[in-house]
Amino acid sequence: MSGFVHLVGAGPGDPGLLTVAGRRALERAEVVVYDRLGTEELMPLCPPDAVLLNAGKSPGRQAMTQDEINAALVEHGAAGRRVVRLKGGDPFVFGRGGEEAEALRAAGVEYAVVPGITSAIAAPAYAGIPVTHRGVATSFTVVTGHEDPTKESEQTDWDALARVPGTLVILMGMGRLAAISAALIAGGRPPGQPAAAVQWGTTPRQRRVVATLGDLPARVREEGLGSPAVVVVGPVAGLAEGIDWIERRPLRGRTVVVTRARAQASELSDRLRALGAAVVELPAIRISPLPGTPELDDALTRLDGYGLIVLTSVNGVDALFAALAARGRDARALPAAATVVAIGPATAERLAAHGVRADLVPERFVAEGILESLAQTPLDGVPVLVARARGSRPELVDGLRARCAHVDEVELYEAVPEPADPDAVAAALAASHLTFTASSTVRSFMGLLGPGERAALRGGPRVVSIGPVTSDTARAEGLEVHAEAAEHTIPGLVAALLADVAAAAPAP
């Protein structure tokens, strides 16, 4: 039985620019053949058991030849597997996707093309350069600069391109920029016409040089720009300073480490990227459901007898409803007369997603806040269910029992330390900020470090904590906490980070 191959455009580098269709294909893939550029941050979307084949190309090095790539797509597709060929930009814009499609068609393997956003328009847009603009340019031409404009056999007619009105966008031309510039000027483009080079477009590493066509090669050398880059020639390049938007992002130039579990990192990572930060995802923990216990079975059997049910995290909500679902039950099993307490708005939102409205959300999103919110509630003899993580702080249960409540504490999951890539650890130590969303992330992160790496933290990344309990753990581990969220949520954490950046020295 034949499989199916998706030729997917990964976009220009910003992972948020991947299309919905591309994401769905990656999430279902059994084999992924990926390029070097524009794909790195998309790898976590692949299933954990997917076979990943690096087909990346870099100057002077090629992991797989085009013939080898074609053969791999045919081999895995013909073997009945779901295959994704993940290509930077768009598969059919200087991506050789047409050749891959021809190989698949010849072999009788079914395929589909998922277009991607090409860097030809995305990199200029992120640099404040519209490739067309009313009254300035009504057309644009995209050309590869990979050919040598001085050789006799090249296909690109630079004289003709110099005479074409509108914007000229040159991909893969940085290695021959001086020769290309000279050829365009010789063909009639004015040497004083605005031109720009955008390196690592759409990513936090993006750099931009705006000059004239005649001066651009020298300016690029002075600024140290190299490949990969997009070159734009035409009056629209002169609009960059007025239209630029990416450089105004408050976290531009900052690298922020996210230590949340991989399954939960996206919310924080997405917020940080939207603010211009480069994000290093270093999941220090993994959320692992605990096997069923007699205590859990007993609690769920007697669920309708509880007068108070307390959920202390989003993970606790998910684990509780997973346990109910495993027993063929759902939100209707919760007693209508019970008071349901959610430790914070995120936990309340997750409860609502399961069809349960929280009756009480304390003002402070910690165990002590729950106790304060219940200060006027009679608890003497009230059956209470506290569903939470293994190893949680005892203050909540002790406080409830001190008020004579009959408390059943049920452990539903645990935070397990996650092994880390040494390169990711090194990147974290070189970052501008470390973020911690729970005490478990602090302890697990510090457990990844040797004595020398712990010493490197002194005077290194600034530490931002989600709340006082996490901050106390960080200090106990020898860290200095530079900022703490006033509201103990992900938006609160981001707000604390922004405040710390605003108060610190300008970004490098």
Side-chain angles (χ1 to χ4, degrees), residues 258 260 264-272 345-346 365 435-437 466 485 487-497:
V258 173
R260 297 189 92 191
Q264 298 174 316
S266 60
E267 179 189 358
L268 178 54
S269 296
D270 289 349
R271 287 177 180 268
L272 295 172
F365 312 146
T435 61
F436 294 108
T437 57
I466 200 168
E487 179 181 284
H488 315 322
T489 61
I490 295 302
L493 180 70
V494 173
L497 173 59

Side-chain angles (χ1 to χ4, degrees), residues 56-57 190 293 502:
K57 301 171 185 176
T293 63

Side-chain angles (χ1 to χ4, degrees), residues 116-319:
I117 299 175
T118 172
S119 61
I121 59 173
Y126 271 55
I129 302 171
V131 292
T132 64
H133 189 73
R134 184 179 177 87
V136 179
T138 57
S139 65
F140 67 96
T141 303
V142 182
V143 61
T144 176
H146 194 58
E147 288 190 311
D148 186 344
T150 64
K151 70 179 183 179
E152 294 181 1
S153 61
E154 68 166 324
Q155 292 178 294
T156 306
D157 187 341
W158 294 100
D159 282 344
L161 286 169
R163 296 190 297 272
V164 173
T167 305
L168 180 60
V169 180
I170 305 166
L171 306 182
M172 299 175 286
M174 291 295 280
R176 301 181 175 90
L177 183 57
I180 291 171
S181 176
L184 290 172
I185 292 171
R189 285 267 177 165
Q193 186 172 80
V198 185
Q199 183 183 24
W200 294 109
T202 78
T203 75
R205 302 166 64 184
Q206 178 176 306
R207 301 175 65 202
R208 178 193 71 189
V209 168
V210 179
T212 64
L213 178 58
D215 292 341
L216 186 63
R219 287 288 310 282
V220 162
R221 285 195 301 271
E222 291 170 5
E223 297 294 332
L225 264 68
S227 298
V230 173
V231 175
V232 183
V233 179
V236 291
L239 301 174
E241 295 297 331
I243 296 180
D244 170 68
W245 55 279
I246 199 80
E247 306 234 356
R248 295 185 173 89
R249 291 182 171 187
L251 295 182
R252 179 161 174 77
R254 311 286 174 172
T255 300
V256 184
V257 181
V258 173
T259 56
R260 297 189 92 191
R262 191 178 303 280
Q264 298 174 316
S266 60
E267 179 189 358
L268 178 54
S269 296
D270 289 349
R271 287 177 180 268
L272 295 172
R273 290 190 183 104
L275 293 167
V279 176
V280 176
E281 289 192 353
L282 185 65
I285 61 169
R286 171 174 49 85
I287 301 303
S288 177
L290 293 172
T293 63
E295 291 80 10
L296 174 61
D297 289 335
D298 182 59
L300 296 183
T301 299
R302 299 186 294 104
L303 194 57
D304 58 358
Y306 290 108
L308 180 68
I309 299 174
V310 183
L311 284 307
T312 62
S313 70
V314 168
N315 293 317
V317 174
D318 289 342

Side-chain angles (χ1 to χ4, degrees), residues 301-452:
T301 299
R302 299 186 294 104
L303 194 57
D304 58 358
Y306 290 108
L308 180 68
I309 299 174
V310 183
L311 284 307
T312 62
S313 70
V314 168
N315 293 317
V317 174
D318 289 342
L320 176 63
F321 280 91
L324 284 171
R327 292 160 175 79
R329 305 170 74 188
D330 56 23
R332 291 170 293 182
L334 272 65
T339 298
V340 178
V341 180
I343 198 168
T347 304
E349 288 176 10
R350 189 58 60 89
L351 273 169
H354 286 282
V356 177
R357 184 186 299 274
D359 299 294
L360 184 62
V361 180
E363 293 183 6
R364 292 202 301 143
F365 312 146
V366 291
E368 291 81 355
I370 293 176
L371 294 172
E372 291 166 4
S373 69
L374 293 169
Q376 304 305 315
T377 302
L379 294 178
D380 193 353
V382 174
V384 179
L385 173 63
V386 177
R388 56 183 187 164
R390 173 173 289 175
S392 296
R393 297 166 62 230
E395 283 77 2
L396 175 59
V397 171
D398 290 349
L400 292 170
R401 286 174 175 160
R403 294 184 55 193
C404 300
H406 296 312
V407 182
D408 290 333
E409 181 183 12
V410 175
E411 296 177 339
L412 295 170
Y413 67 96
E414 63 181 337
V416 179
E418 185 86 311
D421 181 346
D423 291 340
V425 174
L429 295 176
S432 61
H433 288 81
L434 290 170
T435 61
F436 294 108
T437 57
S439 292
S440 57
T441 62
V442 177
R443 289 189 289 266
S444 295
F445 173 78
M446 296 302 287
L448 297 173
L449 308 182

